[in-house]
Amino acid sequence: QVQLVDSGGGLVQAGGSLRLSCAASGRTFSNYAVGWFRRAPGKDREFVAAVLWSGSTSYYADSVKGRFTISRENAKNTVYLQMNSLRPEDMGVYYCAAGVPTSRTIMITTAYPYWGQGTQVTVSS
């Protein structure tokens, strides 16, 4: 089992920045890829970004490329999502997730068996 606690959400004006954190405990965290997903009101959960176990390879949704950066510190069992130039459409509940997805499933929620509780991001226009 891997337990995940995500944090760092809040209220920010459009154009502002937030950094989300995903702290893990339990099984060896460095064995897992970690993804961030978000759910906007009335919408399905969607992929935002993911980083492989080594931290050397990351993936991003087209909508956040160039604005968001995912990184991990395995020594601290923590993954971060730095979000810059935030837009109202970035608003939602953000969840981190851990699993062992393939390159084909890296963006799919079902590839991640472990999830955090979610942290709310609100962007005012």
Side-chain angles (χ1 to χ4, degrees):
Q1 284 283 357
V2 174
Q3 292 79 42
L4 303 175
V5 177
D6 32 39
S7 62
L11 172 63
V12 65
Q13 288 188 331
S17 299
L18 285 173
R19 188 176 81 156
L20 307 184
S21 298
C22 176
S25 60
R27 286 189 176 179
T28 306
F29 180 61
S30 59
N31 291 344
Y32 294 90
V34 175
W36 283 97
F37 293 78
R38 66 188 180 193
R39 187 195 298 272
K43 295 187 177 180
D44 292 333
R45 200 172 296 194
E46 66 173 357
F47 173 79
V48 175
V51 61
L52 297 187
W53 65 272
S54 66
S56 61
T57 303
S58 55
Y59 301 81
Y60 296 93
D62 288 343
S63 59
V64 307
K65 280 180 183 176
R67 301 187 297 121
F68 291 12
T69 303
I70 189 170
S71 61
R72 67 189 296 164
E73 289 189 67
N74 286 336
K76 294 185 178 181
N77 285 351
T78 303
V79 170
Y80 304 99
L81 183 68
Q82 177 67 43
M83 305 187 296
N84 298 328
S85 302
L86 282 162
R87 304 167 180 169
E89 55 263 38
D90 294 318
M91 188 159 49
V93 180
Y94 282 68
Y95 301 88
C96 67
V100 193
T102 66
S103 58
R104 285 186 173 185
T105 62
I106 194 81
M107 299 183 183
I108 300 175
T109 57
T110 53
Y112 299 82
Y114 306 110
W115 289 81
Q117 81 285 0
T119 185
Q120 175 71 46
V121 171
T122 303
V123 183
S124 63
S125 56

